[in-house]
Amino acid sequence: MAAPSQPQKSTYDVIVIGAGIQGSFTAYHLAQRHKDTLLLEQFLLPHSRGSSHGQSRIIRSAYPQEYYSRMMPDCFRLWQQLEAETGTTLYRKTGLLLLGPPGEPELEACRRSLGMEGLLDAAALAQRYPGFRLQAGQVAVLDSTAGVLFADRALRAVQEVFRRHGGTLRDGEKVLRIEPGATVTVTTTAGVYKAPRLIITAGAWTGAFVEQLGLHLPLQPLRIDVCYWREKQPGSANLGSVSPCFLTLGLSQAPHGIYGLPSIEYPGLMKVCHHHGSPTDPEKRDQTPSSAPRPDVAVLSSFISSYLPGLETQPAVMETCLYTNTPDEDFILDRHPKFSNIVIGAGFSGHGFKLAPVVGKLLCELSLGEEPSYNMAHFAITRFPGVLGAAQ
């Protein structure tokens, strides 16, 4: 005879809203600290509606901003720890080429972050990586530590360890209402939950949640075209699964930057994307008509013609993803200015996945009232004018 069903548990130490990579790593750190944690996800898992799906993301040591490059050794260590905990390979080392004009400030800052002096000119790059072609006078910096994170696999792995440490993950539950207080009450489509601490990591939906709490954050969801490009002759472009990733900095034809990853998702297709997109409502992202103009694809086609001549100049496969950008493209990692037991992680601006292990640790520390492991000045809500006024 089946045991009588138990009433659904409603009280936790911490509630985390949003089970993308940032929320999942936050919950992972909390559970490892023996906090009874509820992780809520509005969609059934796995899904492709947010920013954490897909098979690949770049991980790199090189960063123009020192406050990110300082975090990267810790990120690599924590990714390796997760690999060990799950017995799963989450990272493939490929190297990363940073392409741009010599003396470009961000390129120089990346080179400094690597502690390297050497540059590859067009001839040296072509000899070492025949699939790439620099324009006259341009240079490349190689980050040999970089590679590809297997994104879908990584998200599953961190959620698996979270559950293994006693965490509760409830998917298919949309949050309807947040009531602040010494105990926060979260009402979903399936229940009501209470906890003394709440962390919001809801990606493109974060803005709507914090507006309920009197806070207006300058978060702009963008719809990104994720494009895959076929080799003209299979194998001829030398862009297989172990070829380097790349990132452009300071190219006049791509002011927002272009990045690429080797053939992983689709054999023989290289992933090349513009680090930019069109403003969108996350609820209507997939309603864009197929006939709508795609200026980012035109930028990519021009770039591929010049820099990756072994690829066809029209994408073979196109998918979409969401970025949620802040005006300065730095993250928001901070306590609510009025409700200090509510912590917000948002605005990862298309470069947050690799940093998720440390982001999760920082959000965990903020929620528990501890001194954060890193300087948080660049991630403060108060850097945006007018936000505090709306929260009073």
Side-chain angles (χ1 to χ4, degrees):
M1 180 175 168
S5 61
Q6 297 296 311
Q8 183 177 308
K9 181 175 173 177
S10 62
T11 303
Y12 294 86
D13 294 334
V14 194
I15 298 170
V16 181
I17 298 175
I21 196 65
Q22 311 296 349
S24 294
F25 255 116
T26 302
Y28 162 98
H29 284 288
L30 287 161
Q32 290 198 323
R33 303 282 291 278
H34 308 292
K35 300 301 175 187
D36 187 10
T37 304
L38 171 65
L39 177 59
L40 291 170
E41 170 55 49
Q42 65 173 320
F43 301 115
L44 291 171
L45 294 170
H47 70 83
S48 60
R49 297 288 302 278
S51 302
S52 296
H53 66 281
Q55 293 182 47
S56 60
R57 297 291 190 281
I58 294 173
I59 184 169
R60 54 189 163 113
S61 296
Y63 247 105
Q65 300 91 347
E66 190 183 358
Y67 43 95
Y68 292 121
S69 63
R70 246 188 261 119
M71 295 176 181
M72 286 314 303
D74 204 6
C75 287
F76 275 101
R77 179 186 64 79
L78 287 165
W79 281 116
Q80 289 162 1
Q81 178 181 304
L82 182 61
E83 284 187 318
E85 287 173 319
T86 57
T88 307
T89 300
L90 302 177
Y91 161 69
R92 179 181 295 160
K93 188 173 179 178
T94 64
L96 169 78
L97 293 168
L98 299 144
L99 312 175
E104 200 281 328
E106 289 200 335
L107 188 65
E108 287 300 312
C110 283
R111 186 161 68 126
R112 285 194 300 273
S113 76
L114 294 170
M116 296 169 54
E117 296 303 317
L119 294 172
L120 298 173
D121 62 14
L125 181 70
Q127 184 172 12
R128 188 164 179 178
Y129 301 108
F132 291 86
R133 180 187 295 164
L134 284 175
Q135 305 307 292
Q138 294 177 347
V139 294
V141 172
L142 176 64
D143 177 352
S144 59
T145 69
V148 177
L149 287 169
F150 302 128
D152 284 346
R153 197 184 298 176
L155 186 61
R156 286 194 302 271
V158 71
Q159 291 170 354
E160 175 191 324
V161 176
F162 166 65
R163 284 195 182 104
R164 197 187 296 166
H165 283 271
T168 302
L169 171 55
R170 298 187 63 86
D171 62 348
E173 285 199 35
K174 186 178 179 67
V175 171
L176 303 175
R177 189 167 63 256
I178 299 168
E179 298 166 59
T183 297
V184 182
T185 302
V186 177
T187 302
T188 75
T189 48
V192 178
Y193 308 99
K194 294 178 182 289
R197 304 175 187 88
L198 173 69
I199 302 171
I200 301 173
T201 50
W205 288 265
T206 299
F209 283 130
V210 299
E211 282 185 2
Q212 291 182 37
L213 303 170
L215 191 58
H216 181 70
L217 296 179
L219 296 171
Q220 178 58 68
L222 298 177
R223 181 184 186 274
I224 307 297
D225 290 319
V226 181
C227 302
Y228 299 85
W229 310 75
R230 193 182 309 280
E231 292 174 300
K232 290 176 179 175
Q233 295 180 340
S236 64
N238 296 302
L239 296 172
S241 62
V242 293
S243 70
C245 304
F246 74 86
L247 178 65
T248 72
L249 295 167
L251 294 186
S252 58
Q253 70 190 98
H256 298 282
I258 290 171
Y259 62 92
L261 294 87
S263 174
I264 290 175
E265 279 98 327
Y266 302 104
L269 302 186
M270 187 175 186
K271 181 177 178 177
V272 183
C273 306
H274 195 200
H275 192 70
H276 189 55
S278 309
T280 191
D281 177 341
E283 296 288 354
K284 300 176 182 175
R285 178 189 100 185
D286 297 324
Q287 296 176 20
T288 303
S290 57
S291 59
R294 296 183 181 270
D296 296 304
V297 176
V299 169
L300 291 169
S301 294
S302 172
F303 172 84
I304 282 169
S305 178
S306 299
Y307 290 81
L308 296 164
L311 299 182
E312 300 284 356
T313 55
Q314 291 301 314
V317 175
M318 289 181 59
E319 299 172 347
T320 60
C321 189
L322 285 177
Y323 287 2
T324 305
N325 280 33
T326 62
D328 57 13
E329 297 190 8
D330 283 330
F331 310 158
I332 293 171
L333 308 172
D334 204 354
R335 297 182 183 92
H336 190 292
K338 188 175 178 183
F339 309 113
S340 62
N341 60 340
I342 298 177
V343 170
I344 299 157
F348 296 100
S349 303
H351 66 107
F353 200 101
K354 71 185 81 60
L355 286 145
V358 166
V359 165
K361 180 166 78 167
L362 291 169
L363 293 173
C364 170
E365 290 166 346
L366 285 172
S367 183
L368 298 179
E370 299 173 355
E371 183 68 25
S373 299
Y374 295 88
N375 185 332
M376 302 296 281
H378 293 281
F379 311 119
I381 287 172
T382 51
R383 74 186 193 268
F384 299 116
V387 173
L388 276 173
Q392 300 306 310

